[in-house]
Amino acid sequence: MPIQPTIDNNKLDRIVAEARRNAEQRELGYRERALKMYPWICGRCAREFTRTNLSELTVHHRNHDHDFNPADGSNWELLCVYCHDNEHSRYIDHVRGAGYSVQEEVAPATGNPFADLKAMMERGRK
Ligand SMILES: [Zn+2]
Ligand SMILES: [Zn+2]
């Protein structure tokens, strides 16, 4: 009688792969649109980007809601990875100081568990 201990793992792999694909597609969707709409310049330090280093230019959501992507791009801002980090740590400090909790930052798993992972991988790539 064959033993099939990997059935659950296979199912889990499929679910994970599908979630990752969805996350990547959503990310690509607004990133591509933002890159078409705005010049490739960091909105904070004014560093300019070309195709070769474009992976270091990220799309920031002004209201910190990654699901809020209006067609006119008003919620997007292009930031280099360094300024983007600063922007988010400032936001967290500000919000913590004011006594709110930030679901997106504290519990990213509720929204898009792979967005942060992908961003970290892109950050690590030189
Ligand atoms: Zn910058
Ligand atoms: Zn951001």
Side-chain angles (χ1 to χ4, degrees), residues 7 9 13 41 54 59 64 71 75 83 92 104 108 115 125:
I7 282 183
N9 281 339
D13 283 352
I41 296 172
L54 194 59
V59 180
H64 293 257
N75 194 36
C83 294
I92 292 167
E104 183 207 353
R125 214 183 287 148

Side-chain angles (χ1 to χ4, degrees), residues 80-92:
C80 76
V81 290
Y82 307 105
C83 294
H84 202 164
D85 276 349
N86 283 340
E87 188 66 26
H88 280 254
S89 49
R90 270 205 330 214
Y91 180 71
I92 292 167

Side-chain angles (χ1 to χ4, degrees), residues 27-42 49-51 53-60 73 76-80 122:
E27 171 123 338
L28 274 177
Y30 69 67
R31 182 175 154 87
E32 275 183 4
R33 279 149 65 202
L35 288 175
K36 270 182 207 160
M37 195 173 289
Y38 293 112
W40 295 353
I41 296 172
C42 172
F49 289 81
T50 62
R51 292 225 164 263
N53 60 359
L54 194 59
S55 65
E56 291 174 42
L57 186 63
T58 59
V59 180
H60 172 60
W76 299 329
E77 186 172 23
L78 296 183
L79 298 179
C80 76
E122 280 178 357

